[in-house]
Structures are given as structure tokens and as C-alpha cells.
Amino acid sequence: MSEQDTQNPQATPRLPPRHVTQEVLGQAGRRGPFRYGERIQVTDVKGSKSTFHLHPQGHFQSGRGSFHHREVVGRQEGTVLTTDSGHELLLLRPLLADYVLSMPRGAQVVYAKDSGQIVALGDIFPGARVLEAGVGSGALTMNLLSAIGEAGSLMSIERREDFAAIAASNVDSWFGGHHPAWELRTGDFNDVVAARVEDASIDRVVLDMLAPWENIEASARVLAPGGLFLAYVATTTQMSRTVEALRHSRLFTEPEAWESMVRTWNVDGLSVRPDHRMVAHTGFLLAARRLAPGSAPLTRKRPPARGAYDDAGHWIPEDVRERTSTDRKVRRVLRDCRAKQPEDATPVLPGVPTAGGDDAPQEPLDD
């Protein structure tokens, strides 16, 4: 700003920020008419959805009509707008499940059918103390934070600093600022837990990683008696090895494993039938409860099968054909995420004490 503008603040009008920091976090802070800086979802008659932020100079353009953002600000959510071309467009704020599909991502996300199972069957309650590992792009993190509320606590651990930074941007963007119950750290799960988490201080451990069996002992140490261990894995080999490791530890109840599949239906008068396509396998979920110290698991009615897996080596994404983003894409997504961070952005903290101090933020990655 020039010296003249400094002396006369009215000379250069300030536009509203692209992203608004909310006084009330999440959807509760986005009630009422549409405002500049908040996210809007436009749906056409074919079901195509577009998500973007409202800006004073913004303009929406599609094959089924267009409008200026200023025409939307002040309208109520649920408005059906008729464009100059005669097309109808539905205006809504996106739900969390919609946002997960449209947000920037560096890693694969946990979709609603699985995150809903984790929150419900994992009994993630308001005020819960939760430890999460494998943050990815932050999809599951947002569901966990919504469930525990501001009275709970969630520590998220991510190996990759770039993934952690992308997740922090996505989570902050959804809630409209830093969630006070969230602490995000980078590093190896076992190292971070050993340095940061007290024994028997956690209600729920949720792991979304390649080799959750490597972290069973550390999880058992921090879980309170009766606490729940839950892992999300992509393949049957990962599921089998994790289940056998839980049994071998003799620190948990008999593990339960399942998957969920979603099939939508076409309902149109007398034409009521299932759709030809469905969301089938995305991942397996398995859960077990922490036993009290000194207690042993119930005796199994059937003897365990002989081990049929390889105990050697460190697993990498290619071992289970996991789709990974290229470093170039991750750098691009990270650059875009940093450009839209709010003033109270969630810091990405080191998992273990560093020379710069226990909680010195990570140095920015080179673009």
C-alpha cells in the first residue's frame, strides 16, 4: 500500500478475504444467507456438482448457465436459481461428504461409508481422547473432530510432512479455522507416541496405514483399559496380519473384521430397482478392545491357524498396489493449500523433541 493509501484508508477499498475465519467452527458457523468467502455447491439438473468460494469479483460458468457471485450473496441456502439461458441451478453449502470429494488431496481419502463406520462402530463420542495415525488428506480427521467436539482431543500423526501440511489446510478450510481439539504432528508413530503420549491416556486409537501391526504394542500402552483399537487397511493380507498380531499380543479382545458396501437405488414411480453400479470394496475395518492389565483374552474355541504370511521386511505402497500421488502433484497441491491458509492455520509440529524446541513448527518445504 502506498503512503497516500496509508494516510487515506478509503482510497483503496479492501475486498473480503477469499476464505473467512469463522467464530463458530464447522457448519454451525455457516448458517443463514450466503456470504462472501464461504464455500458454495452448485448442482444442475443432471446431478453435476461444482464447489467454489464466493468472491466479489467471481463468476460461475458452466454448460448449463452462468451467474456472478454477487447474484448469490444474500440468498438463502436451498435456492434454485434460473440462469439467463433458462437452466435451473440448486445452491447449497456442501456437506462434509461432498467436501471430501472436492478438496485438494495428496493421498487417497477415507470415504463416507468407511468414516461413518469408524465413528459409529468405533464409538467416537463427544469429549473422547483419540489418537489417529495416517492423516493422508484429512478426510477421516474431519469426521473425528466433528464427533469429539471442542471438548475432546485428537492427536494426528503423519509420516510425511507434505501430506500433513495438505491435511492441515483441508481441515482448517472445512472448519473455518484451527480446531482447538486438534494437534498435528509428524514422524514415526512409535517414536511420537513414546515422546508425547502418556500411558493409558487414550480412549480410541485409529490407524490408517500400511503396516498397523507394527504399532500394536505402542497402541496398547497408551490405550485405557476397555479402549478401542481400530485399523483401516486396503487388502486381505494386511487385515490378516494385523488380526494375527493382535491375537499374538494377548493384550486385546478377539478382533472383529468387516467391510461395508453401498448400493444406491433408482426410485421413479413403479420403477424401483437397484442401480447397476455400486460402491463396493474400498477397505477393511478391524477393531479390538484393550484388556485390563494382567488379564488374558478369552480362550478361543478353535485353535489358531498356522501362520501363512511373511514376517520379513518393511512394507511399501507398491506391495499392496496402493495408488500414490507423484511428488510433483503433491508439491502443486501443497502450494495451492498454503495460498489459502487462514490466519490461525493449524501448525504442523514435529513428533519428537527437536533442537529448536519441543513445539517448534516445521520449516516450510521447498516448492
Side-chain angles (χ1 to χ4, degrees):
M1 184 178 293
S2 66
E3 182 179 353
Q4 180 180 359
D5 293 337
T6 304
Q7 296 174 354
N8 182 15
Q10 301 299 325
T12 304
R14 291 181 176 272
L15 294 176
R18 182 179 178 187
H19 300 270
V20 178
T21 298
Q22 299 177 196
E23 295 182 3
V24 179
L25 296 177
Q27 294 286 57
R30 294 191 279 267
R31 296 189 176 104
F34 292 120
R35 299 179 292 274
Y36 285 124
E38 68 175 349
R39 190 179 295 103
I40 186 175
Q41 178 177 273
V42 178
T43 307
D44 63 25
V45 294
K46 294 290 186 179
S48 295
K49 297 179 180 179
S50 301
T51 304
F52 53 88
H53 285 83
L54 293 173
H55 190 272
Q57 299 173 347
H59 181 262
F60 173 77
Q61 179 71 49
S62 75
R64 289 187 169 83
S66 62
F67 58 83
H68 292 280
H69 291 193
R70 62 176 178 270
E71 300 175 44
V72 171
V73 171
R75 291 177 181 261
Q76 292 293 334
E77 185 176 7
T79 295
V80 175
L81 182 70
T82 302
T83 65
D84 293 338
S85 60
H87 293 91
E88 295 179 341
L89 299 174
L90 173 63
L91 310 178
L92 291 167
R93 293 183 176 95
L95 302 176
L96 178 53
D98 301 317
Y99 174 67
V100 165
L101 298 178
S102 64
M103 70 184 188
R105 62 180 68 177
Q108 290 297 309
V109 299
V110 178
Y111 294 101
K113 77 181 189 70
D114 294 318
S115 59
Q117 292 271 307
I118 291 172
V119 170
L121 297 182
D123 192 26
I124 311 296
F125 56 90
R129 302 164 298 178
V130 182
L131 177 62
E132 173 199 19
V135 179
S137 297
L140 179 58
T141 303
M142 288 180 278
N143 283 275
L144 294 174
L145 288 171
S146 296
I148 66 174
E150 297 183 35
S153 65
L154 172 65
M155 177 183 285
S156 300
I157 302 172
E158 171 59 50
R159 282 180 178 270
R160 294 184 53 165
E161 184 184 340
D162 49 2
F163 282 4
I166 292 171
S169 173
N170 287 334
V171 175
D172 289 348
S173 179
W174 171 252
F175 285 105
H178 170 65
H179 197 293
W182 192 33
E183 181 179 346
L184 174 60
R185 295 192 177 273
T186 58
D188 179 78
F189 179 85
N190 288 332
D191 294 339
V192 177
V193 168
R196 303 287 180 182
V197 186
E198 298 180 358
D199 293 359
S201 63
I202 299 296
D203 299 309
R204 306 288 185 262
V205 170
V206 182
L207 304 183
D208 175 14
M209 55 177 58
L210 283 172
W213 56 86
E214 296 176 349
N215 304 308
I216 288 176
E217 290 188 7
S219 298
R221 180 183 69 80
V222 300
L223 273 172
L228 188 138
F229 171 94
L230 199 148
Y232 177 73
V233 295
T235 67
T236 55
T237 50
Q238 292 170 291
M239 176 176 62
S240 174
R241 186 161 180 178
T242 305
V243 167
E244 294 301 330
L246 285 166
R247 288 171 176 161
H248 186 264
S249 72
R250 298 185 63 79
L251 299 171
F252 292 88
T253 60
E254 176 65 13
E256 297 180 355
W258 72 96
E259 68 173 327
S260 61
M261 291 173 279
V262 174
R263 182 173 66 176
T264 55
W265 282 65
N266 176 76
V267 182
D268 187 6
L270 297 179
S271 175
V272 181
R273 54 175 174 74
D275 288 331
H276 298 298
R277 295 183 179 181
M278 66 180 296
V279 182
H281 175 73
T282 50
F284 297 102
L285 292 165
L286 57 94
R289 303 285 297 274
R290 178 67 165 99
L291 294 171
S295 295
L298 297 175
T299 303
R300 297 180 64 195
K301 295 182 179 180
R302 294 185 300 170
R306 294 185 178 182
Y309 49 79
D310 179 18
D311 289 329
H314 174 69
W315 284 35
I316 58 176
E318 287 76 11
D319 291 335
V320 293
R321 298 184 181 273
E322 181 177 296
R323 290 179 295 175
T324 57
S325 301
T326 63
D327 291 340
R328 181 178 180 182
K329 177 185 176 182
V330 171
R331 287 196 299 269
R332 174 176 58 80
V333 172
L334 181 58
R335 182 178 63 251
D336 295 340
C337 286
R338 284 192 173 134
K340 65 180 184 181
Q341 284 183 322
E343 293 182 0
D344 63 337
T346 297
V348 178
L349 303 173
V352 296
T354 63
D358 282 358
D359 288 326
Q362 299 277 20
E363 291 295 327
L365 296 174
D366 294 334
D367 292 335

